[in-house]
Amino acid sequence: MEQMDRAEGAILGQAVGDMLGVPFEFANHTFTSLEGAELKGGGLGNYAPGEWSDDTQMMLYIARVSANGSDLTSGDCLDQIAAGFLSWYTDGVFTDIGNQTRVLLAELAGDDGLPGLSARMRQAAFDLHARTGRTAGNGALMRNAIIGLTRLGDPLATAASARAVAELTHADPLAAESCIIHAEIIRRSVLGRGWVIEDIVDLLAEDRRGFWIEALAMGDESVSSSRERFLASPTNPDDGFTVITLTKALVALAHGLRSQTPMTTTISTAIAMSNDTDTVAAVAGSLVGAHLGASAIATNWVAALNGLPVDPATGARLTADDLRTLARATAVNGLADSRTSDH
Ligand SMILES: [Mg+2]
């Protein structure tokens, strides 16, 4: 029961952080407190009160596939996720979109769909990286929380899924690596296990571990507090960089867990130190939600939640109940599947 509460917490935490960060994105409003923030809406996508943004919208296309417990590294699943992302773009579900994701999905807009769409999307992402050399935006990390629930008993399978889904749109290895670290922290948190970054990075290639330990440096209080000061500047222009997004989310989490009000403090710290407030708060919200569980999230925030894409069966906007259902199904069906596999 506690593990299911934390699984739901990862996804509700993501959506709540996203929704609370929306009004303050790129200094639309100056952030002072979270009081009433769920009722502001607005932001770059002119969202309704309580509405989550593109971050959680994109995550839900992954969740629709992960909910049946299937292996997200398989070509069929990746095709379904890619088709979801593309329909999000071509059907005009989105009202705001990251630059890199926009370029990529615009290129694929004429694609006639399955099968093989995921391979074409991944190729377009690699081509974009070859042209620009800069594709480590936070657009993969912002939708990654659900991956942490897909194989709760299997860190290698979780990491492989995080990489496969990230690489659909983001060819820079930093994007996939940030997603692997994020998913593994969520996985361990849901299981009720502690973690240190030095262990988490074992899931990366050996020559990539040092970079991430230094970048995140959460184990070292002195490094952590100087980093906190550096990152706390809301004018820091690098929020969109996946490494900085993850670092800020972890700083916010560490700050929150030291406080008397960990959920509120994590999310408000994430917003206060960011420009890309909804994404940093979504990532931080997923981490603290996985740690504390859905039952620790303020009921007025959960009640306010709403967003797209609509339920294909009813045409209704999704709510917190739908997020809970998808989180639970992903966690339970993934466990059932990994028990019957070779891992
Ligand atoms: Mg957003």
Side-chain angles (χ1 to χ4, degrees), residues 18 25 53-55 96 278-279:
D18 183 359
E25 194 173 11
S53 77
D54 56 327
D55 309 52
D96 86 294
D278 61 323
T279 295

Side-chain angles (χ1 to χ4, degrees), residues 36 116 133 195 220 271 280 305 307:
W195 55 271
D220 181 333
I271 293 173
V280 177
L305 278 176

Side-chain angles (χ1 to χ4, degrees), residues 262-282:
M263 182 68 64
T264 308
T265 302
T266 298
I267 292 174
S268 62
T269 303
I271 293 173
M273 65 166 62
S274 305
N275 276 314
D276 195 355
T277 47
D278 61 323
T279 295
V280 177

